[in-house]
């Protein structure tokens, strides 16, 4: 069953509307909350006039910093190492830290009444001069103490300056990436229901346990008194790893009013209250011998952060493990601004980092007059170049070679701007991909009933990536059951805890927990079969007993699981499994464990207008054992589509007077639509990484976007000879440099 392209087991409930998302949970007589947001980027609230709003029909209460309850401090130590579990105090002070910050919540009998009253809240501000211009403040950059999960801020191997200075061929360029958003289909939303001194939250969250701890820490509650339900999540892409204002404010209002309260961010509020991918300048320095061997590699990533809430994106982390070079230097720096805080957005770190690195590799190949695939092959390391440990499973060269064969890379012309199709300039681009494979803490419980049915229980979430299906397949295969005999329950805080879905750790971590729980059940049933005098396997001795089609099988002898359960475990069997997190697993200390890929893109650029059109795209990936070929393929082409958006479309424009995003809606913030994505395909190499875990599987959720944007950008260069280093690649950056048409 593992590896089969099984249709999503949750597909029917989703397409029929039976799957309940956060805002859709029905409650008796709910109230509705609407958030009022700040219209300045820095300063303080001077006055709040609520008189008109309070007289508006249906209004039950209005919360501001003047009447919000005392809350836990954001930096207070908590019971979880996850930053997403920290307290998120909201409406606790008159100061405004960024444009769009929540400054009030209006609660009324209906959504329409709450919206009308929110428009009647009158706030005056004492605005202060803020820092909103990233480029103007780069001189104020500082080094953070560490990256997420304790990775060092900087790294150095050998002597970078000497190696770079002595090499005959050098690349030294800066690549600019803009603010970008997650923007999932389902808005951030919460329904808060008071239950005496307890609280029940129906929330759109990627990590249930972190949300529970965050709300409890914020409201100074016993975490056991907070229940979180997030059974279905309409996309996250990082934006629902942390809790935001809608959840905290719904919880505050529900406790105060002792009524269920529903709060959802509007689409425009999501642009200003949910974190953004930091804008960045990334300086890439590559130095090589004339045969293409890189002797020095440097990656400096400088990005924005909010002055009150630090966030650093590990953009140079992938560079540390990717290409061989004896002299190496990576650094991360932060520019403090009064902008919306940074958060995880669609493969944080590697996605923007590889856009810069893989563009620079293409530039080096051009400077050497070398095929860019050959350049990468010549710099393939045998061990991790910074950690000096072996790779668990590294097949970058195979991805490049297989992709080149399938894509027809041999038709690419080395000289840019030499291939035309009518008015279109045609170009090919390639980029390699790397994504760290994390293994997170995760628990699961498996219940095997006497009738042979199985239930899998975990607070793990399914954010649209196929968790329900993958865990079904793992349990079905390990216990030898048909898929329709397995039911998976996810996304409730009363289930065994995990780190949820994020960072590409979700499926592999929760999958291992299910696998280990099934192993306990398997051993108990094997032992019972050998000890049961009525079992056909009583005389099996040391023969291996397998689980096949609802039976225990040893050679020619077999026994129905249900029959064995009826005699030995009439009440069924329960077992718990717990995945070993990477920081406790010796395999992760002894090996460099990643996923890999290669992206190929063909673009057409209109020779007169500079319009760029993707013509086709291929990704070839190596990610260990693939549990579900269909959902994995869907993940990859989705990530590759994100990469097209990064390369050509996505950019949040800042009003430098206030820090507001000028194009803060889906009309102005451009993302790829169907017409932008023609022939696109993804292929996996067969694999099994025994160092990652016993299942041999690795996380793939973010691999598809890593490197994809660079492949598109490199194709644009091959088509036109124009190298754009400030993304996205828009008409204004191509038109002035397009060759004149004869």
């Amino acid at each position: 069953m593992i590896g089969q392209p099984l249709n999503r087991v949750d597909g029917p409930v989703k397409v029929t509307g039976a799957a309940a998302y956060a805002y859709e949970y029905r409650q008796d007589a709910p109230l509705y909350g609407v958030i009022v947001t700040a219209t300045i980027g820095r300063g303080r609230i001077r006055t709040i006039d609520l008189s008109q709003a309070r007289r508006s029909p249906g209004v039950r209460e209005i919360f501001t910093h003047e009447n919000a309850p005392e809350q836990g401090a954001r930096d207070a130590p908590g019971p979880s190492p996850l930053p997403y579990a920290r307290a998120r105090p909201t409406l606790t002070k008159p100061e405004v830290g960024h444009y769009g910050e929540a400054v009030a919540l209006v609660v009324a009998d209906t959504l329409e009444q709450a919206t009308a009253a929110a428009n009647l809240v009158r706030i005056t501000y004492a605005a202060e001069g803020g820092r909103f211009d990233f480029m103007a403040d780069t001189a104020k950059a500082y080094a953070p103490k560490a990256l997420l999960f304790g990775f060092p801020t900087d790294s150095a191997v050998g002597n970078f300056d000497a190696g770079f200075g002595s090499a005959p061929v050098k690349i030294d360029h800066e690549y600019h990436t803009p603010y970008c958003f997650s923007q999932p289909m389902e808005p951030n939303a919460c329904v808060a229901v008071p239950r005496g001194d307890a609280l029940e939250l129906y929330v759109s969250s990627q990590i249930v346990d972190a949300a529970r701890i965050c709300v409890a820490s914020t409201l100074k509650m016993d975490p056991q008194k907070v229940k979180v339900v997030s059974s279905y999540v309409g996309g996250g892409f990082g934006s629902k790893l942390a809790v935001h204002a809608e959840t905290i404010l719904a919880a505050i209002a529900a406790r105060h009013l002792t009524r269920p309260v529903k709060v959802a961010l509007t689409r425009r509020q999501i642009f200003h209250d949910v974190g953004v991918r930091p804008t960045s300048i990334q300086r890439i320095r590559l130095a090589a011998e004339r045969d293409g061997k890189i002797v020095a590699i440097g990656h400096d990533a400088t990005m924005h952060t909010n002055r009150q809430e630090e966030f650093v994106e590990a953009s140079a982390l992938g560079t540390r493990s990717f290409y061989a070079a004896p002299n190496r230097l990576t650094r991360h720096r932060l520019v403090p601004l009064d902008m919306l805080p940074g958060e995880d957005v669609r493969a944080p770190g590697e996605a923007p980092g590889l856009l810069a690195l893989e563009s620079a590799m293409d530039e080096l190949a051009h400077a050497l007059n070398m095929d860019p695939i050959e350049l990468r092959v010549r710099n393939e390391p045998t061990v991790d170049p910074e950690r000096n440990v072996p790779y668990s499973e590294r097949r970058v060269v195979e991805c490049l070679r297989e992709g080149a064969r399938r894509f027809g890379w041999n038709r690419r012309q080395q000289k840019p701007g030499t291939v035309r199709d009518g008015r279109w300039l045609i170009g090919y681009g390639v980029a390699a991909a790397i994504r760290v494979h994390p293994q997170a803490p995760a628990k699961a419980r498996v219940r095997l009933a006497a009738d042979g049915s199985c239930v899998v229980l975990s607070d793990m979430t399914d954010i649209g990536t196929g968790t329900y299906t993958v865990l079904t397949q793992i349990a079905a295969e390990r216990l030898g059951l048909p898929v329709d005999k397995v039911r998976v329950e996810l996304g409730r805080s009363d289930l065994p805890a995990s780190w949820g879905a994020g960072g590409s750790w979700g499926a592999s971590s929760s999958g291992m927990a299910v696998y280990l729980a099934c192993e306990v059940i398997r051993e108990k049933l094997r032992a019972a079969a050998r000890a049961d005098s009525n079992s056909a396997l009583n005389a099996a001795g040391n023969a291996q007993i397998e689980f096949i089609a609802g039976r225990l099988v040893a050679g020619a002898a077999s026994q129905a699981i249900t029959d064995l359960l009826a005699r030995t475990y009439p009440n069924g069997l329960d077992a718990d499994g717990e995945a070993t997190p990477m920081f406790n697993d010796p395999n992760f200390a002894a090996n460099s464990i990643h996923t890999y890929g290669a992206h190929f893109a063909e673009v057409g650029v209109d020779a007169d207008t500079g319009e760029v059109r993707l013509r086709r795209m291929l990704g070839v990936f190596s990610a260990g054992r693939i549990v579900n070929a269909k959902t994995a393929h869907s993940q990859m082409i989705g990530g590759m589509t994100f990469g097209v958006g990064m390369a050509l479309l996505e950019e949040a424009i800042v009003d430098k007077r206030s820090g507001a995003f000028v194009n803060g809606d889906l009309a102005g913030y451009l993302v790829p639509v169907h017409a932008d994505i023609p022939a696109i395909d993804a292929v996996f190499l067969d694999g099994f990484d025994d160092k990652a875990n016993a299942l041999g599987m690795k996380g793939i959720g973010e691999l598809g976007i890593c490197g994809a944007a660079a492949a598109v950008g490199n194709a644009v260069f091959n088509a036109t000879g124009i190298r754009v280093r400030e993304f996205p690649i828009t008409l204004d950056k191509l038109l002035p440099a397009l060759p004149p048409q004869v």
Side-chain angles (χ1 to χ4, degrees):
M1 182 54 63
I2 293 178
Q4 295 301 309
L6 187 69
N7 288 335
R8 292 176 186 262
V9 298
D10 54 328
V13 297
K14 287 184 174 179
V15 299
T16 59
Y21 292 83
Y23 201 74
E24 298 173 335
Y25 278 92
R26 294 182 179 274
Q27 301 294 328
D28 292 334
L31 301 175
Y32 294 81
V34 169
I35 296 174
V36 179
T37 57
T39 56
I40 62 169
R42 179 174 173 81
R44 65 192 313 275
I45 296 171
R46 179 181 290 159
T47 65
I48 302 178
D49 182 356
L50 304 178
S51 56
Q52 292 186 64
R54 287 193 182 280
R55 291 195 299 268
S56 188
V59 171
R60 296 301 181 114
E61 184 58 276
I62 302 175
F63 297 89
T64 70
H65 73 276
E66 296 176 340
N67 64 345
E70 182 183 354
Q71 297 167 49
R74 184 185 304 275
D75 298 326
S80 170
L82 277 173
Y84 318 111
R86 295 175 187 159
R88 302 281 296 190
T90 307
L91 302 186
T92 57
K93 60 188 188 306
E95 287 76 22
V96 174
H98 64 85
Y99 185 96
E101 183 177 352
V103 292
L105 176 74
V106 178
V107 182
D109 291 335
T110 69
L111 176 60
E112 292 78 10
Q113 290 172 333
T115 302
N119 289 327
L120 297 176
V121 173
R122 301 289 180 253
I123 301 178
T124 62
Y125 299 93
E128 300 174 9
R131 295 177 181 171
F132 310 120
D133 189 340
F134 174 70
M135 294 301 297
D137 273 354
T138 53
K140 298 181 176 68
Y142 69 92
K145 291 181 180 179
L147 307 180
L148 190 64
F149 302 128
F151 288 109
T153 301
D154 301 343
S155 70
V157 174
N159 187 327
F160 174 80
D161 290 336
F164 188 80
S166 63
V169 182
K170 301 181 182 69
I171 294 295
D172 184 352
H173 293 300
E174 289 184 345
Y175 302 87
H176 296 217
T177 64
Y179 295 102
C180 288
F181 290 94
S182 295
Q183 291 299 326
M185 185 178 296
E186 179 199 20
N188 301 70
C190 177
V191 179
V193 184
R195 304 289 189 194
D197 63 346
L199 195 59
E200 197 168 276
L201 301 174
Y202 299 87
V203 60
S204 190
S205 172
Q206 293 179 235
I207 310 179
V208 164
D209 196 52
R212 179 182 66 88
I213 295 171
C214 169
V215 172
S217 300
T218 304
L219 301 187
K220 297 186 173 183
M221 296 177 63
D222 178 352
Q224 300 306 314
K225 296 287 188 179
V226 178
K227 179 180 179 181
V228 172
V229 178
S230 191
S231 299
Y232 296 97
V233 181
F237 315 121
S239 69
K240 296 171 183 176
L241 290 169
V243 164
H244 295 96
E246 80 290 337
T247 299
I248 300 301
L249 294 180
I252 288 173
R255 296 187 81 200
H256 179 80
L257 297 168
T258 64
R259 290 269 300 276
V261 176
K262 305 178 74 169
V263 182
L265 296 181
T266 66
R267 184 61 63 179
R268 291 192 66 88
Q269 286 175 339
I270 292 173
F271 275 92
H272 287 103
D273 195 61
V274 176
V276 64
R277 171 178 287 149
T279 187
S280 76
I281 298 174
Q282 298 181 62
R283 183 186 183 191
I284 305 290
R285 288 175 286 176
L286 301 175
E289 302 292 350
R290 297 198 183 279
D291 64 358
K293 287 293 186 70
I294 299 174
V295 297
I297 182 168
H299 190 164
D300 291 275
T302 302
M303 65 206 74
H304 107 283
T305 189
N306 179 269
R307 283 204 272 188
Q308 283 77 44
E309 187 175 344
E310 184 179 278
F311 175 83
V312 54
E313 187 161 37
S315 299
L317 192 62
T319 302
R320 295 176 182 176
S321 297
F322 213 1
Y323 295 114
N327 306 293
R328 318 175 65 84
L329 178 67
T330 69
R331 296 181 291 210
H332 296 84
R333 297 295 181 266
L334 298 177
V335 177
L337 300 177
D338 299 303
M339 290 294 301
L340 179 66
E343 283 188 8
D344 302 287
V345 174
R346 292 181 279 169
E350 283 92 336
L354 288 176
L355 175 52
L357 176 64
E358 289 299 288
S359 296
M361 286 292 287
D362 199 70
E363 296 210 47
L364 179 60
H366 181 70
L368 291 164
N369 194 30
M370 181 180 293
D371 183 273
I373 292 179
E374 182 60 27
L375 174 65
R376 289 169 171 83
V377 171
R378 291 190 184 188
N379 291 284
E380 176 69 3
T382 56
V383 297
D384 188 295
E386 298 204 10
R387 295 180 56 205
N388 197 33
V389 296
Y391 292 102
S392 61
E393 180 193 47
R394 181 179 169 107
R395 302 169 69 186
V396 179
V397 173
E398 289 180 66
C399 290
L400 289 164
R401 297 289 195 215
E402 179 65 15
R405 183 187 69 81
R406 289 172 177 262
F407 194 75
W409 183 256
N410 60 321
R411 297 194 297 270
R412 174 186 180 269
Q413 297 300 307
Q414 179 72 10
K415 184 179 180 181
T418 57
V419 179
R420 294 188 65 131
D421 179 9
R423 75 175 195 270
W424 296 96
L425 301 168
I426 308 301
Y428 286 12
V430 67
I434 184 172
R435 172 69 184 172
V436 65
H437 165 69
Q439 189 86 359
K443 298 178 182 178
R445 181 170 299 123
V446 175
R447 290 176 177 164
L448 183 61
D451 65 358
S453 64
C454 170
V455 179
V456 175
L457 304 168
S458 174
D459 79 347
M460 169 65 180
T461 53
D462 189 328
I463 57 176
T465 49
T467 308
Y468 282 102
T469 308
V470 166
L471 298 188
T472 296
Q473 290 178 263
I474 292 172
E477 173 156 306
R478 298 313 298 166
L479 298 178
L481 300 175
V483 167
D484 60 7
K485 284 287 188 178
V486 179
R487 178 168 54 87
V488 176
E489 294 184 17
L490 300 177
R492 300 199 318 266
S493 59
D494 59 347
L495 302 177
S498 72
W499 275 15
S504 296
W505 63 60
S508 61
S509 303
S510 59
M512 269 305 299
V514 172
Y515 170 89
L516 292 170
C518 289
E519 289 305 292
V520 174
I521 291 176
R522 283 161 62 96
E523 287 309 309
K524 287 184 176 181
L525 289 177
R526 282 168 171 159
R530 289 189 174 104
D532 183 2
S533 59
N534 293 316
S535 171
L537 304 178
N538 175 249
N542 293 325
Q544 182 64 35
I545 298 176
E546 300 294 345
F547 290 69
I548 302 171
R551 304 182 70 84
L552 281 74
V553 179
S558 71
Q559 167 79 63
I561 291 177
T562 51
D563 291 345
L564 182 62
L565 286 169
R567 290 195 300 272
T568 58
Y569 292 101
N571 295 321
L573 263 174
D574 278 22
D576 291 338
E578 182 172 1
T580 302
M582 59 185 176
F583 32 82
N584 294 336
D585 188 336
N587 279 330
F588 282 77
N591 298 275
S592 183
I593 306 179
H594 298 80
T595 55
Y596 303 96
H599 295 276
F600 296 81
E602 178 185 336
V603 302
V605 180
D606 190 296
D608 296 313
T609 68
E611 176 189 358
V612 180
R613 283 289 175 185
L614 180 72
R615 293 163 69 98
R616 60 193 179 101
M617 196 170 186
L618 170 69
V620 178
F621 303 99
S622 170
R625 188 184 191 187
I626 302 304
V627 177
N628 186 307
K630 181 176 289 188
T631 58
H633 179 267
S634 178
Q635 280 287 98
M636 292 301 102
I637 63 174
M640 292 162 69
T641 302
F642 284 155
V644 176
M646 283 185 68
L648 303 178
L649 297 167
E650 293 189 54
E651 179 181 21
I653 307 296
V654 178
D655 183 339
K656 296 176 183 177
R657 300 167 299 177
S658 66
F661 292 109
V662 176
N663 56 336
D665 54 42
L666 291 180
Y669 182 81
L670 302 181
V671 296
V673 297
H674 286 292
D676 297 313
I677 307 298
I680 183 169
D681 197 11
V683 176
F684 284 96
L685 302 181
D686 289 336
F688 189 100
D689 193 333
D690 63 348
K691 302 298 188 299
N693 50 56
L695 281 166
M697 65 183 292
K698 294 186 280 194
I700 64 168
E702 294 160 304
L703 177 60
I705 189 176
C706 296
V712 176
N714 295 339
V716 171
F717 173 75
N718 184 246
T720 64
I722 303 168
R723 181 68 68 179
V724 178
R725 303 187 184 97
E726 183 177 350
F727 294 91
I729 301 171
T730 47
L731 301 182
D732 55 302
K733 297 163 190 170
L734 293 174
L735 271 172
L738 282 173
Q741 302 305 304
V742 179

